[in-house]
Each structure stands twice: as C-alpha cells, then as structure tokens.
C-alpha cells in the first residue's frame, strides 16, 4: 500500500551548535533561519527496501525538525551515494531505486527531521566535490572517515566497518580468527587490503613457528569467494559488509566471521561550514540510536556488527 504520512512541523529558530562527541567541536554561525511551519508529506520507503517497515514507522522529532536548515524544509534532503556495493548501496529490481543500508539510513534521518530525501547516484570521486559545491547536502557511500578527507568535509560517523572471513556454512575447518589460518589456504583479491591482511597473518604464523598461510590471489571478490565454494580454499578475506551480505544467500552456503581489530569508522560527509546541518544529522542519528530504530535498520540488512553507540563527529584517525 502506497500510503503517505502527513505531519506539520513547528516553527524553529536558529540551531545553537553543541559540542561534538568526537574529535571536533562545532561552532554556530549559520544564517540559515528556520522556515515557517509547513505541511510535509513524508514518502514511504521503497517496497524492496529490507528496512522499509522500520523506516515507515519513524516519525519526526519536532525539536530536531524545528532546528533543521530551512533549505531542507523547502527542498528536502539531497543525498549522494555510489550505488553498487551491496548491502550498503544497491538498486531495486527496477534498476533505478536506491536501497541498502546507506539509503535506508539517509531516509531514516530525513524522516526524523521531518523531510524527504532524494538519493542520487554519482561516481565515488565526484561525491565530495558535489557536497562542497552545494549540489548535495551530504554523502553517505561507505566512505571511510580519514584525516585526509576531514580536510575537505566534516563527518558524522554512522558505522564501524572492518574486514571478515567467509567460510563454508558450518565452518568445517574450525576457523574462528587469524591464528586458525596457519597451514590453511586463503583466497584474496590481488593488490588490495584483503591481501595485505592475509600476508600479515601469514607473517604471524611463521613468526610463531607455525605453518604458513597459502595465499591464492585473484582479480576480484567473486573469483576469490568461488575458491571457498569449490573447496580449494578454506577461507577468503573480504570486507565485513560484503561477507555479511553473501552469508544471507542460502545458495552460497557460507558464513561470515568478523576480524577483530580491523574496524574503522565510515562517515556521512558534509560541508564543514554547514554546522546547522551537521548538528541536525548528528542529532537525528543519536535519536535513531537511542530509540533502537538504528539497530533495527542494521538488523534488517544483517549488519548488526557495524553498530556504533553514538554519533561521533570526525572520529577517524
């Protein structure tokens, strides 16, 4: 049913910036005054969105909505992402509707602020420039929060993402972590972070006087994963989000094992001087975390292990 929810937002003043939970404090100074009260018809989430029921049940936080930038109330939240990295970002069966955890969270934040979200697909390297020129309000695209990127945008960190092992369902090789890889065969993508991790595990095995890790290198994730399916390798190293997504496919018969110590924050990137928007997004994310709605969004996409306890500004090192 394509029902829509009508909500009236109260008039709000300028947002006084608050100290961030992360490494950076935000100063006020935006001239973007709150817009007059207006009726906003909130869109329903796409039917194929796994977290649709969670998103559609979210109601605006009147205090946060009143303090949101006027541009959001008049034009909605303009979001940019790079669609094609499931389960974080992917297209529905129509080939044009963005679904996945990143679009789900963007829509959830928008609803918490009492506005709608428009999600645009852009090539990864075009996303930050699009935010800086004002074409988009924020980027949410599995983007690592790094010190280098903090020189361009301000992040509100929304997940902690790392690496994982994919093993056969039931884990017949008994692999629980890197130390169990000694003497085993591991498949990886050549010349990537997964290969670097596998090589570091191999070095640790040799250092401890154990058998080496036999590393098989392939051009892409699919080829590396196939080696586990056909029994040539006992595990493959990949991004946790990829492993978690693959583990939900019963045809593949695999399970994911998160690799401790590899997690780092991914952030929602915004123009640094847009402190009103940054505070609004941070406030909305904190509200979603506190209510449990954030956790339910993660659960819908089998990404519980990525959860953060609070919205942190520029937490990347």
């Amino acid at each position: 049913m394509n029902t829509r929810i009508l909500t009236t937002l109260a008039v709000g003043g300028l947002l006084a910036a608050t100290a961030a939970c992360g490494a950076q404090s935000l100063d006020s100074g935006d001239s973007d005054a709150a817009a007059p009260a207006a009726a906003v018809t909130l869109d329903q989430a796409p039917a194929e969105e796994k977290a649709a029921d969670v998103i559609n049940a979210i109601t605006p936080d009147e205090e946060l909505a009143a303090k949101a930038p006027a541009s959001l109330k008049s034009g909605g939240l303009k979001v940019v992402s790079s669609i094609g990295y499931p389960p974080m970002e992917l297209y529905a069966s129509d080939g044009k509707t963005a679904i996945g955890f990143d679009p789900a969270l963007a829509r959830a934040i928008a609803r918490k602020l009492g506005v709608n979200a428009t999600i645009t697909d852009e090539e990864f390297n075009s996303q930050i420039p699009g935010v800086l020129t004002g074409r988009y309000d924020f980027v949410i695209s599995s983007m690592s929060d790094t010190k280098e990127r903090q020189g361009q945008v301000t992040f509100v960190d929304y997940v902690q993402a790392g690496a994982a092992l994919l093993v056969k369902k039931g884990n017949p090789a008994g692999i629980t972590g890197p130390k169990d890889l000694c003497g085993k065969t591991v498949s990886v993508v050549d010349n990537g972070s997964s290969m670097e991790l596998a090589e570091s595990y191999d070095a640790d095995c040799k250092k401890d006087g154990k058998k080496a890790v036999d590393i098989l290198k392939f051009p892409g994730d699919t080829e590396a994963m196939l080696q586990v399916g056909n029994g040539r390798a006992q595990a493959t190293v990949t991004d946790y989000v990829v492993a978690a997504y693959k583990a939900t496919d019963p045809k593949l018969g695999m399970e994911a094992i998160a690799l401790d110590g590899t997690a780092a924050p991914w952030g929602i990137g915004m123009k640094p001087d847009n402190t009103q928007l940054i505070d609004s997004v941070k406030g909305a994310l904190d509200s979603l975390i506190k209510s449990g709605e954030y956790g339910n969004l993660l659960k819908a996409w089998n990404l519980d292990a990525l959860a953060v306890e609070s919205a942190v500004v520029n937490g990347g090192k």
Side-chain angles (χ1 to χ4, degrees), residues 217-276:
K217 303 173 185 178
F218 297 90
D221 269 328
T222 300
E223 296 95 327
M225 185 183 64
L226 285 173
Q227 309 312 307
V228 178
N230 64 27
R232 189 180 175 193
Q234 286 75 57
T236 183
V237 183
T238 187
D239 289 343
Y240 176 81
V241 296
V242 174
Y245 184 66
K246 297 295 185 183
T248 63
D249 186 347
K251 295 179 182 179
L252 295 177
M254 295 189 176
E255 59 184 78
I257 301 169
L259 287 167
D260 294 339
T262 62
W266 288 355
I268 299 169
M270 288 160 281
K271 197 173 181 180
D273 62 3
N274 197 347
T275 58
Q276 191 176 7

Tab-separated table of all heavy atoms in Angstrom, residues 217-276:
chain	number	residue	atom	x	y	z
A	217	LYS	N	45.677	-15.609	-5.003
A	217	LYS	CA	45.307	-14.246	-5.386
A	217	LYS	C	44.475	-14.237	-6.667
A	217	LYS	O	44.803	-14.931	-7.625
A	217	LYS	CB	46.569	-13.397	-5.571
A	217	LYS	CG	47.463	-13.364	-4.335
A	217	LYS	CD	48.779	-12.660	-4.608
A	217	LYS	CE	49.705	-12.739	-3.402
A	217	LYS	NZ	51.021	-12.094	-3.668
A	218	PHE	N	43.409	-13.395	-6.657
A	218	PHE	CA	42.501	-13.327	-7.795
A	218	PHE	C	42.134	-11.869	-8.095
A	218	PHE	O	42.277	-10.996	-7.236
A	218	PHE	CB	41.231	-14.143	-7.510
A	218	PHE	CG	41.511	-15.606	-7.320
A	218	PHE	CD1	41.801	-16.122	-6.059
A	218	PHE	CD2	41.515	-16.458	-8.405
A	218	PHE	CE1	42.080	-17.466	-5.888
A	218	PHE	CE2	41.796	-17.811	-8.250
A	218	PHE	CZ	42.067	-18.313	-6.992
A	219	PRO	N	41.651	-11.594	-9.308
A	219	PRO	CA	41.336	-10.214	-9.698
A	219	PRO	C	40.180	-9.589	-8.927
A	219	PRO	O	40.133	-8.380	-8.750
A	219	PRO	CB	40.995	-10.315	-11.189
A	219	PRO	CG	41.578	-11.609	-11.645
A	219	PRO	CD	41.518	-12.517	-10.461
A	220	GLY	N	39.200	-10.402	-8.497
A	220	GLY	CA	38.023	-9.841	-7.841
A	220	GLY	C	37.476	-10.718	-6.737
A	220	GLY	O	37.888	-11.867	-6.543
A	221	ASP	N	36.515	-10.160	-5.980
A	221	ASP	CA	35.896	-10.860	-4.862
A	221	ASP	C	35.206	-12.148	-5.294
A	221	ASP	O	35.257	-13.157	-4.586
A	221	ASP	CB	34.866	-9.952	-4.176
A	221	ASP	CG	35.489	-9.149	-3.038
A	221	ASP	OD1	36.420	-9.648	-2.395
A	221	ASP	OD2	35.037	-8.025	-2.801
A	222	THR	N	34.529	-12.089	-6.428
A	222	THR	CA	33.754	-13.259	-6.875
A	222	THR	C	34.657	-14.467	-7.091
A	222	THR	O	34.358	-15.579	-6.627
A	222	THR	CB	32.992	-12.941	-8.172
A	222	THR	OG1	32.099	-11.850	-7.925
A	222	THR	CG2	32.198	-14.141	-8.638
A	223	GLU	N	35.782	-14.243	-7.796
A	223	GLU	CA	36.710	-15.349	-8.053
A	223	GLU	C	37.299	-15.885	-6.747
A	223	GLU	O	37.437	-17.101	-6.568
A	223	GLU	CB	37.843	-14.896	-8.961
A	223	GLU	CG	37.394	-14.476	-10.355
A	223	GLU	CD	37.185	-12.978	-10.463
A	223	GLU	OE1	36.771	-12.352	-9.459
A	223	GLU	OE2	37.431	-12.432	-11.559
A	224	ALA	N	37.632	-14.974	-5.829
A	224	ALA	CA	38.209	-15.402	-4.551
A	224	ALA	C	37.195	-16.209	-3.745
A	224	ALA	O	37.534	-17.229	-3.135
A	224	ALA	CB	38.672	-14.177	-3.757
A	225	MET	N	35.947	-15.762	-3.748
A	225	MET	CA	34.910	-16.450	-2.993
A	225	MET	C	34.619	-17.837	-3.559
A	225	MET	O	34.345	-18.792	-2.812
A	225	MET	CB	33.631	-15.613	-2.999
A	225	MET	CG	32.517	-16.177	-2.142
A	225	MET	SD	31.040	-15.165	-2.290
A	225	MET	CE	30.652	-15.387	-4.033
A	226	LEU	N	34.686	-17.981	-4.873
A	226	LEU	CA	34.422	-19.270	-5.511
A	226	LEU	C	35.375	-20.357	-5.022
A	226	LEU	O	35.021	-21.537	-4.993
A	226	LEU	CB	34.519	-19.133	-7.031
A	226	LEU	CG	33.343	-18.436	-7.726
A	226	LEU	CD1	33.652	-18.226	-9.206
A	226	LEU	CD2	32.063	-19.242	-7.552
A	227	GLN	N	36.580	-19.964	-4.640
A	227	GLN	CA	37.570	-20.947	-4.181
A	227	GLN	C	37.135	-21.609	-2.881
A	227	GLN	O	37.489	-22.765	-2.615
A	227	GLN	CB	38.941	-20.277	-4.009
A	227	GLN	CG	39.409	-19.476	-5.206
A	227	GLN	CD	39.263	-20.231	-6.520
A	227	GLN	OE1	39.741	-21.365	-6.661
A	227	GLN	NE2	38.615	-19.595	-7.494
A	228	VAL	N	36.386	-20.876	-2.070
A	228	VAL	CA	35.860	-21.466	-0.836
A	228	VAL	C	34.729	-22.427	-1.176
A	228	VAL	O	34.642	-23.527	-0.621
A	228	VAL	CB	35.361	-20.368	0.129
A	228	VAL	CG1	34.760	-20.985	1.386
A	228	VAL	CG2	36.507	-19.429	0.498
A	229	GLY	N	33.888	-22.019	-2.110
A	229	GLY	CA	32.777	-22.868	-2.511
A	229	GLY	C	33.216	-24.188	-3.116
A	229	GLY	O	32.608	-25.235	-2.864
A	230	ASN	N	34.319	-24.155	-3.891
A	230	ASN	CA	34.760	-25.399	-4.542
A	230	ASN	C	35.773	-26.189	-3.704
A	230	ASN	O	36.259	-27.235	-4.138
A	230	ASN	CB	35.326	-25.110	-5.939
A	230	ASN	CG	36.584	-24.239	-5.926
A	230	ASN	OD1	37.334	-24.234	-4.961
A	230	ASN	ND2	36.808	-23.490	-7.011
A	231	GLY	N	36.080	-25.661	-2.506
A	231	GLY	CA	36.953	-26.397	-1.595
A	231	GLY	C	38.438	-26.176	-1.792
A	231	GLY	O	39.257	-26.757	-1.069
A	232	ARG	N	38.811	-25.334	-2.747
A	232	ARG	CA	40.229	-25.086	-2.979
A	232	ARG	C	40.833	-24.254	-1.846
A	232	ARG	O	42.008	-24.380	-1.531
A	232	ARG	CB	40.420	-24.378	-4.321
A	232	ARG	CG	41.871	-24.269	-4.749
A	232	ARG	CD	42.005	-23.552	-6.078
A	232	ARG	NE	43.388	-23.337	-6.440
A	232	ARG	CZ	43.797	-22.532	-7.413
A	232	ARG	NH1	42.900	-21.869	-8.140
A	232	ARG	NH2	45.081	-22.376	-7.685
A	233	ALA	N	40.013	-23.381	-1.249
A	233	ALA	CA	40.449	-22.564	-0.114
A	233	ALA	C	39.504	-22.800	1.060
A	233	ALA	O	38.323	-23.112	0.873
A	233	ALA	CB	40.466	-21.086	-0.486
A	234	GLN	N	40.036	-22.664	2.267
A	234	GLN	CA	39.197	-22.826	3.452
A	234	GLN	C	38.551	-21.522	3.897
A	234	GLN	O	37.594	-21.521	4.675
A	234	GLN	CB	40.021	-23.386	4.621
A	234	GLN	CG	40.370	-24.860	4.502
A	234	GLN	CD	41.474	-25.116	3.496
A	234	GLN	OE1	42.565	-24.569	3.616
A	234	GLN	NE2	41.190	-25.942	2.506
A	235	ALA	N	39.065	-20.403	3.394
A	235	ALA	CA	38.509	-19.098	3.760
A	235	ALA	C	38.920	-18.062	2.731
A	235	ALA	O	39.908	-18.236	1.999
A	235	ALA	CB	38.995	-18.674	5.148
A	236	THR	N	38.150	-16.984	2.671
A	236	THR	CA	38.539	-15.832	1.872
A	236	THR	C	38.426	-14.593	2.739
A	236	THR	O	37.560	-14.519	3.627
A	236	THR	CB	37.665	-15.684	0.608
A	236	THR	OG1	38.141	-14.573	-0.178
A	236	THR	CG2	36.203	-15.446	0.940
A	237	VAL	N	39.305	-13.624	2.523
A	237	VAL	CA	39.289	-12.374	3.282
A	237	VAL	C	38.622	-11.305	2.425
A	237	VAL	O	38.956	-11.126	1.244
A	237	VAL	CB	40.715	-11.916	3.648
A	237	VAL	CG1	40.661	-10.652	4.510
A	237	VAL	CG2	41.467	-13.019	4.367
A	238	THR	N	37.663	-10.588	3.009
A	238	THR	CA	36.966	-9.535	2.277
A	238	THR	C	36.440	-8.512	3.271
A	238	THR	O	36.642	-8.638	4.481
A	238	THR	CB	35.813	-10.126	1.430
A	238	THR	OG1	35.252	-9.105	0.605
A	238	THR	CG2	34.730	-10.724	2.312
A	239	ASP	N	35.745	-7.476	2.778
A	239	ASP	CA	35.113	-6.509	3.676
A	239	ASP	C	33.992	-7.194	4.447
A	239	ASP	O	33.267	-8.030	3.894
A	239	ASP	CB	34.531	-5.329	2.888
A	239	ASP	CG	35.612	-4.428	2.311
A	239	ASP	OD1	36.764	-4.523	2.765
A	239	ASP	OD2	35.298	-3.633	1.406
A	240	TYR	N	33.815	-6.810	5.705
A	240	TYR	CA	32.778	-7.442	6.510
A	240	TYR	C	31.400	-7.267	5.888
A	240	TYR	O	30.585	-8.204	5.894
A	240	TYR	CB	32.754	-6.878	7.938
A	240	TYR	CG	31.615	-7.467	8.742
A	240	TYR	CD1	31.738	-8.720	9.318
A	240	TYR	CD2	30.397	-6.795	8.861
A	240	TYR	CE1	30.681	-9.294	10.015
A	240	TYR	CE2	29.333	-7.362	9.543
A	240	TYR	CZ	29.485	-8.607	10.117
A	240	TYR	OH	28.428	-9.175	10.774
A	241	VAL	N	31.104	-6.080	5.363
A	241	VAL	CA	29.762	-5.849	4.809
A	241	VAL	C	29.491	-6.781	3.639
A	241	VAL	O	28.365	-7.249	3.444
A	241	VAL	CB	29.559	-4.376	4.406
A	241	VAL	CG1	29.619	-3.473	5.633
A	241	VAL	CG2	30.586	-3.923	3.381
A	242	VAL	N	30.522	-7.046	2.835
A	242	VAL	CA	30.369	-7.978	1.717
A	242	VAL	C	30.139	-9.393	2.243
A	242	VAL	O	29.255	-10.117	1.778
A	242	VAL	CB	31.607	-7.939	0.797
A	242	VAL	CG1	31.511	-9.021	-0.280
A	242	VAL	CG2	31.749	-6.569	0.153
A	243	ALA	N	30.945	-9.781	3.232
A	243	ALA	CA	30.822	-11.122	3.807
A	243	ALA	C	29.446	-11.327	4.434
A	243	ALA	O	28.812	-12.382	4.254
A	243	ALA	CB	31.918	-11.340	4.850
A	244	ALA	N	28.976	-10.325	5.164
A	244	ALA	CA	27.672	-10.437	5.816
A	244	ALA	C	26.560	-10.586	4.790
A	244	ALA	O	25.601	-11.344	4.991
A	244	ALA	CB	27.427	-9.215	6.701
A	245	TYR	N	26.684	-9.863	3.694
A	245	TYR	CA	25.665	-9.924	2.630
A	245	TYR	C	25.676	-11.291	1.947
A	245	TYR	O	24.630	-11.901	1.717
A	245	TYR	CB	25.925	-8.816	1.619
A	245	TYR	CG	24.894	-8.711	0.525
A	245	TYR	CD1	23.589	-8.344	0.818
A	245	TYR	CD2	25.240	-8.955	-0.803
A	245	TYR	CE1	22.637	-8.220	-0.187
A	245	TYR	CE2	24.289	-8.835	-1.811
A	245	TYR	CZ	22.992	-8.468	-1.496
A	245	TYR	OH	22.053	-8.365	-2.486
A	246	LYS	N	26.860	-11.783	1.643
A	246	LYS	CA	26.975	-13.089	0.989
A	246	LYS	C	26.448	-14.198	1.900
A	246	LYS	O	25.876	-15.184	1.417
A	246	LYS	CB	28.434	-13.374	0.626
A	246	LYS	CG	29.046	-12.403	-0.383
A	246	LYS	CD	28.380	-12.489	-1.733
A	246	LYS	CE	29.093	-11.606	-2.746
A	246	LYS	NZ	28.407	-11.615	-4.066
A	247	ALA	N	26.629	-14.038	3.201
A	247	ALA	CA	26.198	-15.065	4.153
A	247	ALA	C	24.683	-15.195	4.218
A	247	ALA	O	24.162	-16.198	4.716
A	247	ALA	CB	26.762	-14.768	5.536
A	248	THR	N	23.953	-14.187	3.715
A	248	THR	CA	22.494	-14.255	3.728
A	248	THR	C	21.939	-15.020	2.525
A	248	THR	O	20.743	-15.289	2.467
A	248	THR	CB	21.880	-12.842	3.735
A	248	THR	OG1	22.228	-12.150	2.524
A	248	THR	CG2	22.368	-12.044	4.935
A	249	ASP	N	22.803	-15.362	1.565
A	249	ASP	CA	22.364	-16.074	0.363
A	249	ASP	C	22.484	-17.584	0.601
A	249	ASP	O	23.588	-18.125	0.625
A	249	ASP	CB	23.222	-15.660	-0.832
A	249	ASP	CG	22.728	-16.245	-2.139
A	249	ASP	OD1	21.883	-17.162	-2.108
A	249	ASP	OD2	23.196	-15.791	-3.201
A	250	PRO	N	21.356	-18.278	0.769
A	250	PRO	CA	21.426	-19.716	1.061
A	250	PRO	C	22.055	-20.531	-0.057
A	250	PRO	O	22.589	-21.620	0.183
A	250	PRO	CB	19.951	-20.101	1.262
A	250	PRO	CG	19.174	-19.045	0.547
A	250	PRO	CD	19.969	-17.789	0.689
A	251	LYS	N	22.048	-20.013	-1.269
A	251	LYS	CA	22.637	-20.732	-2.399
A	251	LYS	C	24.156	-20.825	-2.271
A	251	LYS	O	24.768	-21.774	-2.771
A	251	LYS	CB	22.266	-20.049	-3.716
A	251	LYS	CG	20.779	-20.076	-4.033
A	251	LYS	CD	20.495	-19.348	-5.333
A	251	LYS	CE	19.009	-19.318	-5.649
A	251	LYS	NZ	18.723	-18.576	-6.905
A	252	LEU	N	24.762	-19.853	-1.605
A	252	LEU	CA	26.216	-19.834	-1.472
A	252	LEU	C	26.691	-20.738	-0.339
A	252	LEU	O	27.808	-21.262	-0.380
A	252	LEU	CB	26.713	-18.409	-1.237
A	252	LEU	CG	26.491	-17.420	-2.395
A	252	LEU	CD1	26.952	-16.035	-1.994
A	252	LEU	CD2	27.214	-17.891	-3.654
A	253	GLY	N	25.872	-20.909	0.685
A	253	GLY	CA	26.232	-21.791	1.788
A	253	GLY	C	27.481	-21.344	2.523
A	253	GLY	O	28.404	-22.135	2.730
A	254	MET	N	27.520	-20.059	2.925
A	254	MET	CA	28.696	-19.530	3.612
A	254	MET	C	28.294	-18.793	4.876
A	254	MET	O	27.127	-18.445	5.072
A	254	MET	CB	29.475	-18.595	2.693
A	254	MET	CG	30.081	-19.279	1.491
A	254	MET	SD	31.191	-18.171	0.583
A	254	MET	CE	31.805	-19.307	-0.666
A	255	GLU	N	29.280	-18.531	5.730
A	255	GLU	CA	29.048	-17.717	6.909
A	255	GLU	C	30.217	-16.762	7.117
A	255	GLU	O	31.343	-17.036	6.683
A	255	GLU	CB	28.808	-18.565	8.144
A	255	GLU	CG	29.919	-19.511	8.529
A	255	GLU	CD	29.528	-20.379	9.723
A	255	GLU	OE1	28.777	-21.348	9.525
A	255	GLU	OE2	29.994	-20.073	10.844
A	256	ALA	N	29.914	-15.633	7.753
A	256	ALA	CA	30.903	-14.575	7.933
A	256	ALA	C	31.482	-14.595	9.342
A	256	ALA	O	30.770	-14.851	10.318
A	256	ALA	CB	30.271	-13.216	7.659
A	257	ILE	N	32.789	-14.313	9.433
A	257	ILE	CA	33.478	-14.216	10.718
A	257	ILE	C	34.199	-12.865	10.744
A	257	ILE	O	35.143	-12.631	9.980
A	257	ILE	CB	34.498	-15.343	10.901
A	257	ILE	CG1	33.811	-16.711	10.820
A	257	ILE	CG2	35.248	-15.184	12.222
A	257	ILE	CD1	34.775	-17.867	10.726
A	258	ALA	N	33.742	-11.952	11.590
A	258	ALA	CA	34.356	-10.629	11.683
A	258	ALA	C	35.783	-10.750	12.200
A	258	ALA	O	36.067	-11.563	13.091
A	258	ALA	CB	33.540	-9.724	12.596
A	259	LEU	N	36.681	-9.945	11.639
A	259	LEU	CA	38.084	-9.946	12.064
A	259	LEU	C	38.314	-8.795	13.037
A	259	LEU	O	38.243	-7.620	12.660
A	259	LEU	CB	38.995	-9.815	10.842
A	259	LEU	CG	39.082	-11.076	9.972
A	259	LEU	CD1	39.743	-10.774	8.642
A	259	LEU	CD2	39.837	-12.192	10.695
A	260	ASP	N	38.563	-9.133	14.289
A	260	ASP	CA	38.763	-8.128	15.327
A	260	ASP	C	39.960	-7.237	15.004
A	260	ASP	O	40.956	-7.680	14.437
A	260	ASP	CB	38.983	-8.801	16.685
A	260	ASP	CG	37.754	-9.540	17.180
A	260	ASP	OD1	36.644	-9.220	16.712
A	260	ASP	OD2	37.906	-10.438	18.029
A	261	GLY	N	39.833	-5.977	15.373
A	261	GLY	CA	40.942	-5.043	15.212
A	261	GLY	C	41.041	-4.405	13.842
A	261	GLY	O	41.954	-3.615	13.595
A	262	THR	N	40.102	-4.724	12.948
A	262	THR	CA	40.174	-4.147	11.595
A	262	THR	C	39.148	-3.034	11.378
A	262	THR	O	39.164	-2.381	10.340
A	262	THR	CB	39.944	-5.232	10.529
A	262	THR	OG1	38.625	-5.783	10.681
A	262	THR	CG2	40.975	-6.342	10.658
A	263	ALA	N	38.261	-2.833	12.343
A	263	ALA	CA	37.168	-1.877	12.147
A	263	ALA	C	37.650	-0.427	12.224
A	263	ALA	O	38.527	-0.070	13.011
A	263	ALA	CB	36.073	-2.107	13.176
A	264	ALA	N	37.048	0.408	11.380
A	264	ALA	CA	37.308	1.849	11.353
A	264	ALA	C	36.004	2.540	10.965
A	264	ALA	O	35.135	1.932	10.337
A	264	ALA	CB	38.413	2.185	10.351
A	265	PRO	N	35.835	3.816	11.345
A	265	PRO	CA	34.549	4.472	11.092
A	265	PRO	C	34.313	4.850	9.637
A	265	PRO	O	35.234	5.262	8.927
A	265	PRO	CB	34.621	5.711	11.977
A	265	PRO	CG	36.077	6.019	12.097
A	265	PRO	CD	36.753	4.675	12.113
A	266	TRP	N	33.063	4.708	9.215
A	266	TRP	CA	32.578	5.272	7.957
A	266	TRP	C	31.668	6.435	8.325
A	266	TRP	O	30.934	6.378	9.319
A	266	TRP	CB	31.795	4.242	7.156
A	266	TRP	CG	32.645	3.165	6.546
A	266	TRP	CD1	34.012	3.088	6.572
A	266	TRP	CD2	32.191	2.015	5.826
A	266	TRP	NE1	34.436	1.961	5.919
A	266	TRP	CE2	33.337	1.279	5.447
A	266	TRP	CE3	30.939	1.532	5.469
A	266	TRP	CZ2	33.253	0.087	4.725
A	266	TRP	CZ3	30.851	0.348	4.751
A	266	TRP	CH2	31.992	-0.360	4.376
A	267	GLY	N	31.753	7.506	7.546
A	267	GLY	CA	31.031	8.709	7.930
A	267	GLY	C	30.123	9.289	6.872
A	267	GLY	O	30.264	9.030	5.673
A	268	ILE	N	29.167	10.082	7.333
A	268	ILE	CA	28.309	10.911	6.485
A	268	ILE	C	29.036	12.238	6.329
A	268	ILE	O	29.287	12.935	7.320
A	268	ILE	CB	26.937	11.132	7.139
A	268	ILE	CG1	26.222	9.781	7.354
A	268	ILE	CG2	26.082	12.062	6.304
A	268	ILE	CD1	24.985	9.879	8.243
A	269	GLY	N	29.421	12.583	5.094
A	269	GLY	CA	30.242	13.765	4.866
A	269	GLY	C	29.431	14.994	4.495
A	269	GLY	O	28.556	14.940	3.630
A	270	MET	N	29.748	16.128	5.152
A	270	MET	CA	29.046	17.393	4.903
A	270	MET	C	30.029	18.548	4.797
A	270	MET	O	31.163	18.455	5.253
A	270	MET	CB	28.047	17.665	6.033
A	270	MET	CG	26.828	16.751	6.002
A	270	MET	SD	25.952	16.650	7.592
A	270	MET	CE	27.011	15.492	8.479
A	271	LYS	N	29.576	19.631	4.211
A	271	LYS	CA	30.392	20.838	4.089
A	271	LYS	C	30.713	21.356	5.490
A	271	LYS	O	29.809	21.551	6.313
A	271	LYS	CB	29.634	21.893	3.286
A	271	LYS	CG	30.487	23.017	2.742
A	271	LYS	CD	29.660	23.907	1.833
A	271	LYS	CE	30.511	25.032	1.262
A	271	LYS	NZ	29.705	25.908	0.375
A	272	PRO	N	31.999	21.561	5.816
A	272	PRO	CA	32.382	21.900	7.185
A	272	PRO	C	31.705	23.136	7.761
A	272	PRO	O	31.450	23.194	8.969
A	272	PRO	CB	33.905	22.107	7.078
A	272	PRO	CG	34.310	21.250	5.932
A	272	PRO	CD	33.173	21.354	4.945
A	273	ASP	N	31.414	24.145	6.926
A	273	ASP	CA	30.815	25.357	7.475
A	273	ASP	C	29.293	25.260	7.612
A	273	ASP	O	28.653	26.183	8.110
A	273	ASP	CB	31.199	26.591	6.655
A	273	ASP	CG	30.713	26.525	5.212
A	273	ASP	OD1	30.015	25.549	4.847
A	273	ASP	OD2	31.031	27.460	4.448
A	274	ASN	N	28.718	24.149	7.205
A	274	ASN	CA	27.275	23.961	7.348
A	274	ASN	C	26.985	23.311	8.701
A	274	ASN	O	26.486	22.202	8.793
A	274	ASN	CB	26.737	23.104	6.202
A	274	ASN	CG	25.233	23.209	6.047
A	274	ASN	OD1	24.539	23.737	6.927
A	274	ASN	ND2	24.722	22.717	4.936
A	275	THR	N	27.298	24.051	9.761
A	275	THR	CA	27.196	23.485	11.112
A	275	THR	C	25.764	23.178	11.506
A	275	THR	O	25.518	22.264	12.307
A	275	THR	CB	27.830	24.438	12.140
A	275	THR	OG1	27.192	25.708	12.074
A	275	THR	CG2	29.314	24.599	11.875
A	276	GLN	N	24.823	23.922	10.963
A	276	GLN	CA	23.417	23.664	11.286
A	276	GLN	C	23.007	22.285	10.769
A	276	GLN	O	22.339	21.519	11.468
A	276	GLN	CB	22.532	24.750	10.677
A	276	GLN	CG	21.100	24.720	11.170
A	276	GLN	CD	20.279	25.873	10.631
A	276	GLN	OE1	20.742	26.633	9.773
A	276	GLN	NE2	19.062	26.011	11.120
